Each structure stands twice: as C-alpha cells, then as structure tokens.
Amino acid sequence: MAVPVPYAVEHADRVPKERYFDPGFYELECELLWPRVWQMACRLEELPGVGDFVEYEILDQSVVVVRVDATDVRAFQNTCRHRGVKLVEGRGTIDSGFTCPFHGWCYGVDGANTFVSQKRTFAEHNLQPGDIDLVPVRCETWAGCAWINLDHGAPSLRECIEPAATTLDAWNADALQAEWWYAARLPVNWKLAEEAFIEQYHVLETHPQLRLPGRYPPRNGQFDSRTFVDAELEYLHVMSDGMAGMVHADDVRIAEELRGIELPADPVLARSTWDHALNDAVTRWHREQGHAMPDLNDLDAQGFNEPFWHLFPHYFVLPMYSSASAYRFRPLGPEETLMEIWSLTRFPEGHTRPKPTPPEIWECDDERWPPIPTQDFSNLPRQQKGLHNKGFEFMRLSETAEGSISNFERTVDGFLAGLPYEKLLPALRSVNVDPLEMPIVDLGF
Ligand code: FES
Ligand SMILES: [Fe+2]
C-alpha cells in the first residue's frame, strides 16, 4: 500500500520547495530511498589486488567493499559482530582478513569469522556458526565500478539501471579508467545539486562560452562550411578545457587534423559528414593504441550516441567520443552534498594504472575547479538560499526542457511512498536515460 508522501510532486510541473530542506523529508529519504537503491560504491581501479578494500559511506551506514579474487568483489556491513566497532576506515589492503582493533576478533576476506579470543568465556548461543560472520551487502560490478544495495530484496543492478546499461555496455564503458578524481562540498540539497546538471536550459546563460555562432547553421540560409568546422572545433576545445576532460585532449587533437575537410554545401549533410569523419578518426586512433574502443559510427547507427546518462539515484556518465566525465552525489545533510567528478578515458588493454588517490574535498568556490563546474557551482548556493524565501513556494518546470527534473523527483516519491519494485522499475526506465531532452512523462503511479 502506498503511504502518503509529504510535499509530494502533485502537479508534475511544480516541485514544492520543502523537498530541498525540510528535515522530515530528508529523514524519509534516509529511511525509504537510500536503503533500497543501487549505489556506485567505488571504482574498480581502487581495488586492483586481492585484499584491497574501500569503505563506502552513505548517511550513517558504512559498507566495506573488498576484492576477494581476480573476478570477485564483495561487500559487508562494516561492523564487528562482537560490540559493533567499525572494522576498517578509509581504504587499504588486508593480507589474510579483517582484525577488529578492539578485542581482536578476525574475519576472512569472505566475511567468515575466523577467530574469537577467549572463546570459552562466551555462551554458545552468542557464537553460533554463521551468526558471527560479517553481514553481507549486495554487491555487483559493472562499468568499472563496484555497486552496492542495502536491500536484499531489490532487483539486480542491471534491471535497475536500464536502459543506460545497454548503451554504456555497447560503448565499452567497462574499459574506462580514471585519469583524475575531484570532490566538492556543495552547500545545497543533493537533489538540487543533481538537477543543476540534468537540463540544458541553463547552458546559454550559465555557460556563455558555449554560445558558438556557426555551430547550428540555418537549414535554408547561407551555409559556410569553414565557419561550421571552426565552430565545431572551438566547441570541442571549450568543452575539453572547461571540463579538464570529457572531450579528451587526444580526441580534440584528432578533430584538429580534420580541419581542412571538404563538406557538402547542404548544412544537414555537412553535419552528418563531419560527425561521421570525426567518429571514424577517433575510433581508428584509439584502436591503433590498443584501446578497447567501440566503432562510434556503429553506435550512432544503433542510436547509442547520447552524451549523458543518469543512473538513478546518484551516478552520471557523460560520454563524449572516446572518454567521459562521471559524477556521484551523496547527501551529507538536508542542505549539504558531496559531489565527486571523475575524468575517465581509455588505456591500452592490460595496462594497470596506479590506485587513484581519494581527492581532497574542495569548497565549490575553490579556484582549482575547471571553468564549467565553476559556473554550475556558482548558482547552486544562491538557489538553495532563494528557496527559503517566503515568497517562493514551488519550482515551475518547463514541461519539455526540464522534464527530467520532474521525472526524477516523482521517482523519488515512488520510493518514499514505499511502492513495490514492480511499480518502481518502469519509472526507473524513464530516468535512467539521457535526461537533457526528456519531457515530463507518465511514470505509471
Ligand atoms: S568489538 Fe570487535 S572484537 Fe570486540
Ligand atoms: Fe552546466
């Protein structure tokens, strides 16, 4: 039975402001959303060897993710079965298992209890076999990441992240590795932070450097192919510099080599000729380097060319040609969010990268941020403050340009209402998509 949700999105194009700061609403998310969703817990580059572990924290829960062997990564509740001490903090490598620092109980990498000191002093019923092993947490690996879910009754990861999973598999997302990893503390609600990235409506005002004359030539007006190519190259440079990646510098250089290309006089044909030539050149160069690189024109032909994927609730992949940016958001409080950004690219197959170092957490106005996140971050604290004004009641959404915000918020409501997975899965299929062009859709509840 669905439970009434306070401040629910009752009109699909209006979002009540309390959802972004009300402590009771936040509590509901802590109880009913986060314990039931698949969460990106760490990148697999952080777990290259057997015994490597990472602690993943979400709200007041701590999970340890550990590599058991070359193909097996498992997760456990990070708490000793004796008196509850956290077994590990941060990350590291264990040789033969976990040892609790308090009284020395031991557990294997498979979570099985292997040692209790002064065993005879405990009653038998407190040391029942199985009852003193670490409590397992659902864990799956996909696209170069370990994913956890605190709900043993949840559908598989794949069921919960389609259709993004199929496209990102076709694009060999599993072959990407981290080039860098940054983290920001944002003084805003986690949903507000995500929603700054899931519409394109803000781009012209917030990112004025992306207004490029010549990039979208009129269909019937005067078309100049040199202006068009210059604008395309300028766009790639601005995106690459602006994100310190996403469009990888290698791909920008490959595009530069096409500067003298002859294009048809018709603007539509000119665009498709340019896209095709650039896809070919990028595919060829990466394959020559020994990278697991899909054929970008094949992907285009199959419709697998969206540059943006949301994996509900908190992970994003933004593929551009060979490489990508990825985002992860975690709430730290009703009005505080940890956002991490990875720059992902391809390396020769079999190449092992050094373990990535966890980032220092920067404030959102830190001067070290690349230009595009700086611009996105500049609005967020002002928006969180503006929401509190008595004269503001709800966000009014464009049905076409901001539909993904509505779809996302109403899917959150589905979890808060305690709907069963059979009802939630169709909604997840409407949000695990490229959000940039999504209109408001019927989620079925
Ligand atoms: S709490 Fe872990 S051994 Fe006592
Ligand atoms: Fe932006």
Side-chain angles (χ1 to χ4, degrees), residues 116-160:
V116 171
S117 75
Q118 300 175 38
K119 211 170 193 169
R120 289 182 318 272
T121 66
F122 286 86
E124 214 180 302
H125 66 259
N126 266 334
L127 297 183
Q128 285 302 302
D131 195 34
I132 53 171
D133 297 339
L134 298 183
V135 177
V137 169
R138 296 271 299 280
C139 182
E140 294 191 32
T141 57
W142 174 78
C145 306
W147 301 75
I148 63 104
N149 193 322
L150 294 164
D151 183 358
H152 286 279
S156 68
L157 169 68
R158 192 163 191 102
E159 282 178 271
C160 294

Side-chain angles (χ1 to χ4, degrees), residues 80-85 87 100-107:
C80 177
R81 298 299 305 266
H82 175 219
R83 275 167 60 193
V85 167
L87 281 177
C100 177
F102 199 0
H103 313 92
W105 284 30
C106 297
Y107 305 87

Side-chain angles (χ1 to χ4, degrees), residues 166-167 169-172 272 275-284 287 293-306 321:
T166 294
T167 303
D169 276 344
W171 186 66
N172 294 4
S272 65
D275 287 344
H276 201 274
L278 181 52
N279 282 343
D280 260 353
V282 169
T283 304
R284 194 175 335 109
R287 287 183 172 177
M293 181 70 205
D295 183 326
L296 292 174
N297 278 319
D298 273 0
L299 295 188
D300 262 6
Q302 295 173 68
F304 289 162
N305 55 357
E306 279 84 356
Y321 303 98

Side-chain angles (χ1 to χ4, degrees), residues 12-13 162-164 197-201 306-310 316 397-411 426-443:
D13 57 359
E162 286 291 21
F197 297 90
I198 62 177
E199 44 87 353
Q200 289 211 86
Y201 186 39
E306 279 84 356
F308 203 123
W309 292 93
H310 189 185
F316 292 82
L397 302 178
S398 154
E399 280 181 53
T400 48
E402 297 173 304
S404 52
I405 294 175
S406 168
N407 302 336
F408 168 59
E409 291 284 349
R410 286 178 297 129
T411 303
L428 289 173
R429 281 169 190 270
S430 300
V431 289
N432 294 321
V433 293
D434 177 355
L436 298 182
E437 309 286 351
M438 277 298 280
I440 291 176
V441 296
D442 181 1
L443 301 177

Side-chain angles (χ1 to χ4, degrees), residues 192-214:
L192 199 78
E194 291 194 14
E195 290 163 13
F197 297 90
I198 62 177
E199 44 87 353
Q200 289 211 86
Y201 186 39
H202 74 285
V203 170
L204 289 185
E205 191 62 30
T206 301
H207 309 296
Q209 73 275 35
L210 295 174
R211 289 181 211 155
L212 292 169

